[in-house]
Amino acid sequence: MRILRMLPGRLVTALAVVVGASILIFVAVRSLPGDFAQLLLGPLASDAAKDAIRETFRLDRSLPEQYWAWMTSALHGDFGISVASQNPVLDEFALRAPTTVLLAVMAMIITLAVGIPLGIYAGTRPARGRSAITGRLLGSIGISVPEIVLGSLVVYLFSRFDLGLSVTGFVSPRDDVGAALVSLLLPALVLSVFCVAATARTTRDAVMGVLVEPHILAAVARGERPAFIVRHHVLRNALIPVFTFTATIFAYLLGGAVLVESVFSVPGLGSYLVQGLGRRDIAVVQTGVLLATVIFVLCSLVIDVVTALVDPRITPGRKRGLA
């Protein structure tokens, strides 16, 4: 019942965010400098040819009419035609989506496998000496270094020296899943660096916050072993904010793939979106940003629901002190 009371408000908020984002996306794309018909046909094209292009892509209508036509078509699954390939944009995205999803899933697995244990270790150990300084330094570097800088460095090192992995030779997961995993390992490692550092820091802070709770002191007073206390009392409470954070990170990974795919020449959704922006491919840019927004909103909605299920104290509208 708590979830049912919460869902209508969350759904209305999510819908408002998507509509607001779609308006911003539409206005931003239309505000790009230059005439679309001239960019597509060149400066020597006739006025009749330019008018035909504007009519084909509905650019001869007013902005509200263009927005309404775009949204109504999108609701029916028609996101337009790519100028470069002359194919439906949705087909182009479906062709590249497995690569980006596989890259994001690999980065997510690395994040969870490395970030959470590191955070638990740092949170349950006293922060002192060289190891604490080294941990803080590595964490700060991981969070502050942009993916494009780290990716460029990795591309240089693995191109210059024989380090066992290649930055070229991409294999699509449609052809060979095993070879695709190997070819995407370096991009996934680069994409996960920020997430590992942020997850480790969030986990450490959550663990340290739970360790000072009265029930932990009571467990210590009962003589329970440290490993048992961490496993049964600390992790159950500390992993709730960690779960919320990591679920948000998955949406970030899909967006962060834009730069990493461009650096490693991976033909996924991110690099396709960058190419569409360079070619002024309106349908591609609009669809890519809108789908990214929808994915982020859906992830946030799932996080709210799961968090409310796991921790009843987070139920919206519940006043403090009420049972």
Side-chain angles (χ1 to χ4, degrees), residues 176-207:
D176 188 337
V177 176
L181 291 173
V182 174
S183 66
L184 289 175
L185 183 57
L186 286 177
L189 287 171
V190 171
L191 186 59
S192 65
V193 168
F194 167 81
C195 300
V196 167
T199 302
R201 179 168 293 187
T202 302
T203 307
R204 183 203 63 185
D205 294 343
V207 168

Side-chain angles (χ1 to χ4, degrees), residues 290-309:
L290 181 63
L291 289 179
T293 303
V294 171
I295 291 172
F296 191 86
V297 170
L298 288 178
C299 286
S300 300
L301 187 62
V302 171
I303 291 168
D304 288 343
V305 173
V306 175
T307 303
L309 286 173

Side-chain angles (χ1 to χ4, degrees), residues 99-100 103 256-272:
T99 300
T100 300
L103 177 61
V258 172
L259 292 177
V260 174
E261 288 179 359
S262 299
V263 171
F264 287 90
S265 300
V266 175
L269 291 178
S271 58
Y272 184 57

Side-chain angles (χ1 to χ4, degrees), residues 21-68:
S22 68
I23 295 174
L24 290 176
I25 295 164
F26 179 82
V27 173
V29 172
R30 294 302 189 282
S31 300
L32 292 175
D35 180 67
F36 175 76
Q38 182 169 324
L39 288 172
L40 182 63
L41 299 176
L44 301 180
S46 65
D47 292 338
K50 293 179 182 177
D51 290 340
I53 289 295
R54 295 189 186 101
E55 183 178 359
T56 301
F57 290 95
R58 302 167 180 171
L59 298 176
D60 55 342
R61 304 181 186 180
S62 65
L63 288 180
E65 288 177 329
Q66 291 182 43
Y67 175 77
W68 181 252

Side-chain angles (χ1 to χ4, degrees), residues 86-129:
Q86 294 298 312
N87 292 325
V89 171
L90 203 56
D91 292 347
E92 297 285 351
F93 274 72
L95 186 65
R96 294 165 173 80
T99 300
T100 300
V101 171
L102 181 60
L103 177 61
V105 170
M106 291 176 65
M108 192 68 190
I109 292 173
I110 296 171
T111 297
L112 296 178
V114 179
I116 291 180
L118 275 180
I120 295 173
Y121 179 82
T124 53
R125 296 291 187 282
R128 65 182 66 161

